[in-house]
């Protein structure tokens, strides 16, 4: 091998390493907590720009994934995917979301 071909391999290796570390890996979950005997994981969360006390959130409770719901920390209610409004359950995901994020 000549010095020119070795140089090409080194440059190719450096470019490959730069590309490998430049690509961001997706996160598995925002965070998980053991909250009064339940494993609650926030899978995705987005705070409302207009109503800063509302969060659009997907959670899993004890590894059961729930659909996207809107959690209203002001009224302590959540809006389900079908539009039904439900009060937070005691020691549930809504209380966790509001206590941790609404500070």
């Amino acid at each position: 091998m000549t010095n020119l071909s070795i140089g090409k391999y080194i440059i190719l290796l450096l470019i490959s390493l730069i590309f490998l570390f430049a690509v961001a890996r997706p996160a598995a979950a925002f965070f998980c907590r053991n909250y009064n005997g339940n494993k609650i994981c926030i899978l995705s969360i987005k705070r409302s720009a207009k109503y800063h006390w509302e969060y659009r959130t997907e959670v899993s409770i004890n590894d059961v994934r729930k659909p996207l719901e809107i959690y209203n920390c002001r009224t302590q209610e959540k809006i389900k995917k079908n539009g039904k409004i439900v009060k937070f359950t005691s020691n549930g995901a809504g209380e966790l979301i509001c206590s941790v994020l609404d500070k």
Side-chain angles (χ1 to χ4, degrees):
M1 290 176 105
T2 65
N3 287 338
L4 186 59
S5 64
I6 292 173
K8 287 181 183 179
Y9 285 117
I10 291 173
I11 290 172
L12 182 63
L13 178 67
L14 288 174
I15 291 172
S16 299
L17 287 173
I18 290 170
F19 180 74
L20 178 69
F21 290 112
V23 176
R25 301 183 209 294
F30 185 72
F31 71 88
C32 294
R33 294 270 169 93
N34 286 323
Y35 196 68
N36 291 343
N38 292 316
K39 179 183 173 189
I40 300 175
C41 296
I42 298 177
L43 304 174
S44 70
I45 188 162
K46 187 173 184 181
R47 188 178 205 164
S48 172
K50 189 173 182 182
Y51 305 109
H52 61 86
W53 57 87
E54 285 185 355
Y55 295 93
R56 296 182 189 285
T57 309
E58 281 184 87
V59 298
S60 71
I61 301 173
N62 298 325
D63 297 323
V64 177
R65 189 178 187 131
K66 304 272 185 174
L68 180 79
E69 296 174 323
I70 300 171
Y71 289 86
N72 186 327
C73 293
R74 183 175 277 180
T75 61
Q76 299 289 302
E77 298 172 332
K78 68 179 175 181
I79 302 171
K80 295 184 166 241
K81 193 166 181 96
N82 62 5
K84 186 176 178 183
I85 298 173
V86 179
K87 284 290 212 187
F88 287 171
T89 58
S90 180
N91 302 317
E95 287 186 2
L96 175 66
I97 290 167
C98 292
S99 67
V100 172
L101 301 174
D102 197 34
K103 297 200 182 223

